[in-house]
Amino acid sequence: MPPAAQLIDATKKYGEIEALRGVTIQIEIGDVVAMLGPNGAGKTTSISLLLGLRKPTSGKALLFGLEPTNLLARSRVGVMLQESGVPTTLKVREIVDLFRSYYPKPMSRERAIAMAGLEEKASALVKELSGGQRQRLYFALAVCGDPDVLFLDEPTVGMDVEGRRSFIERIAEFIKIGRTVVLTTHYLEEADQLAKRVIVIDRGVVIADASPNEIKSKVAGKRVRFKAGSLADKDLQGLPITSSTIADHNVQLLTNQPEAVLRELFRRGIEISDLEVTGADLEDAFISLTSHKAPA
Amino acid sequence: MAVLTAARAPIGPMLVRQTWAEFLKLWRVPAFTLTSLFLPVMFYAFIGIGQSSQVISPHVTFGTYFLASMAVYSVANVMIFSFGISVATERGMKMDLLIRATPMPPLIYLLSKCITALFFAALTLVVLFPFAAIAGGVRLDAAVWLTLASRVLLGSIPFIALGFAIGYLSGPNSAVAVINLIYLPTAFASGLFFPKQLLPDFIQRVSPYLPLHFFGQLGWDAIGAPTDGSVTTDWLYLGGYGVVFFLIALWAYRREESRKFS
């Protein structure tokens, strides 16, 4: 069986800008993948290539071993895109029915609406929905075809904390029934909560592809925070750290050897206060993976 | 794991759903519905009724003549507006982006819009014809009513392509202005509102080459009013315009595709 989605040495140029510089990704059926990266890293471009919305400049994009524009391949895919609109003068149930008609074996309208938690709004016009509800409608449209693979491009962007939490639960529910999910995000805890596999993209290349745990162990495991009266980059020279941020007097270091780092800082006679050492979460892992200024 | 089967949704129900959605989208925009259905009737009431029994050529009263004019006007109006504005608006809302990622073939999208536009065009005639008969006292044989209706519906198809071209060439905010700037003056210049003899000299010289002129002639001929040249020539010119509009629409569509989706 061909993989659900593949990019094979794909590059993409928009004019002079290289959005992707040779990306190879293979997503198997049943995978739950989070694509992580800062804005402009190439996540949305990768998704666009996989969905056939853009053509690679070189290399290949495949969906179920077919061209992504192939309607057979698309019939197995549900999509939630950033910045896509829907007709505002249709009712929720009408537009769900419309999108259901695009797919060979859609789920029932009631189930799609329930998965998105929009039961109370089924008869409301799209223009009457709040921002969060509209985002949930896009989710209903993405799942209503009962797709084998779900692509979610920044699904929780613009949601408040509570909205995000309940939305993540809805995605988790879809994952539970054994479907493939590919989501892009820069809310890093989302990737940690949902994905079994994290692909980190930065500046158009894949810089890590592993489980959330592996990524955490591969990079800085601990976060050291403190205040220092005066500290320059050169004071940190030679310390076993993967990244450092100095803002005013607040210093944050990522490292796997916090004890050694502290010992060396004390030896160098640097005055510190408000010391805090915590376990790094995926967000820290992510910063140290994409940090370009990390001292050697 | 889900059983993976290679299958596509049946085209028929998809087309029905899409057409129904297109219809609802337009129907729920009062600015569109009211202007398409009632503006021609209003023009008929203001211009046509007062002098409706005046005989302008043997067997043809002004009321009948102006009915043909308004039938042509209202049908072409629907085609240009429903297409032009809905395409431009949907591009503006990036509707097309999400639709592009679904397994719906683009042809279904296009076809559903055409069917909806034709349906709306027919609806305007359903409002206009009885109004002209009752308020304007227009009496025609059933066959003439049918000829007029079928001619204006068939002749409106080139204007679908024009609306489509405008929808792809103009932005969501400018579409209405562009359409009014093109459509209203050419409707006047083609003699749909008052006789061409009253138009300025230079417009009279341009007038016989306008697409709405040929379309108008088809309508006037249907109710037995004298026209210039033969109906066959009118059809040929209108068909030619249709091809040109279609090519412009196709070019505009491809240009958009290569910008957005390459």
Side-chain angles (χ1 to χ4, degrees), chain A residues 12 54 74 94 102 148, chain B residues 4 18 28 100 260 262:
Chain A
K12 181 65 192 176
R54 298 270 184 192
R74 279 197 183 159
E94 288 165 350
Y102 298 160
D148 294 318
Chain B
L4 300 166
Q18 188 70 37
R28 288 181 185 150
R100 278 285 305 230
K260 263 193 191 163
S262 64

Side-chain angles (χ1 to χ4, degrees), chain A residues 1 136 149 225 265:
Chain A
M1 208 184 307
R136 268 146 59 195
V149 183
R225 274 194 190 133
L265 284 175

Side-chain angles (χ1 to χ4, degrees), chain A residues 164-183:
Chain A
R164 239 156 81 194
R165 193 194 55 75
S166 74
F167 198 80
I168 285 171
E169 279 169 18
R170 295 183 194 289
I171 300 173
E173 211 176 294
F174 191 80
I175 292 170
K176 240 184 272 165
I177 58 177
R179 301 302 160 77
T180 312
V181 174
V182 180
L183 69 112

Side-chain angles (χ1 to χ4, degrees), chain B residues 152-240:
Chain B
V152 295
L153 287 179
L154 188 63
S156 70
I157 290 172
F159 296 93
I160 292 184
L162 180 61
F164 203 62
I166 294 171
Y168 270 103
L169 290 172
S170 60
N173 299 318
S174 60
V176 178
V178 170
I179 288 167
N180 278 324
L181 277 175
I182 294 175
Y183 187 59
L184 270 181
T186 52
F188 272 97
S190 303
L192 292 183
F193 286 95
F194 44 79
K196 286 178 199 167
Q197 292 82 329
L198 302 178
L199 296 167
D201 205 35
F202 75 97
I203 293 179
Q204 283 198 43
R205 253 176 277 145
V206 180
S207 171
Y209 304 100
L210 294 173
L212 277 175
H213 159 83
F214 299 108
F215 195 15
Q217 298 230 86
L218 288 171
W220 295 318
D221 180 79
I223 48 101
T227 57
D228 306 332
S230 72
V231 174
T232 316
T233 321
D234 295 333
W235 279 121
L236 285 176
Y237 270 101
L238 202 55

